[in-house]
Amino acid sequence: MFDTKIAFIVRDDLQTWQRLNVVAFLATGIAAAAPEIIGERYVDAQGRRYGGISGQPMLIFASDLPGLQHVHRKGLERELTLIPYVHAMFATGHDEANRQVFLAEDADNLDLVGLALRGPKKAVDKAIKGLALHA
């Protein structure tokens, strides 16, 4: 049905609140990178309007750090849209600080706690091959 795929990979050693927080931030990154996925606004039976949501499914996977780093490398090789979230971002309080701690990371060994991917379905499937859906 869709020629693209969206996947989130979250590190499996995070606390539940951290996993949810990471996925929420990654989802906003995907929406910003691909605004065309957002559907029309919802309207209830009384005519009240609500915001739209993605019309495309998003799958969430769990992985350890080496698995996330592997997917990151595969995503770069396949030129997928990548939205990263590194561990140091938990200690910041705003977007500019997030960019600064991300810039300070070793680009070849990011301390990833989450990663979002979007791109052609087959390319995303190859990048996430072997990962299990988040339980």
Side-chain angles (χ1 to χ4, degrees):
M1 183 175 192
F2 297 97
D3 58 348
T4 61
K5 187 169 191 169
I6 300 168
F8 301 110
I9 302 95
V10 182
R11 209 155 91 188
D12 57 9
D13 63 348
L14 299 178
Q15 295 178 42
T16 301
W17 75 266
Q18 290 173 312
R19 292 178 195 204
L20 294 170
N21 184 265
V22 168
V23 171
F25 277 107
L26 294 177
T28 65
I30 290 293
E36 69 276 8
I37 69 169
I38 304 300
E40 295 296 319
R41 295 176 63 141
Y42 285 80
V43 179
D44 69 19
Q46 293 188 18
R48 293 179 291 225
R49 298 175 59 80
Y50 301 85
I53 61 174
S54 173
Q56 183 172 356
M58 300 180 192
L59 301 172
I60 303 172
F61 298 85
S63 180
D64 58 9
L65 177 58
L68 272 160
Q69 291 172 332
H70 176 78
V71 172
H72 177 251
R73 284 189 294 279
K74 294 294 183 186
L76 289 172
E77 289 170 9
R78 290 173 170 73
E79 298 181 348
L80 301 173
T81 297
L82 299 174
I83 314 295
Y85 196 108
V86 296
H87 192 272
M89 292 167 132
F90 285 130
T92 65
H94 55 87
D95 191 46
E96 178 59 30
N98 284 344
R99 284 193 296 280
Q100 291 301 315
V101 297
F102 183 76
L103 181 61
E105 291 275 326
D106 175 351
D108 293 324
N109 294 294
L110 296 172
D111 188 11
L112 292 163
V113 294
L115 184 66
L117 300 87
R118 181 176 186 268
K121 186 179 182 323
K122 288 183 181 183
V124 172
D125 284 342
K126 287 180 182 177
I128 63 173
K129 184 176 181 177
L131 293 184
L133 285 170
H134 192 284

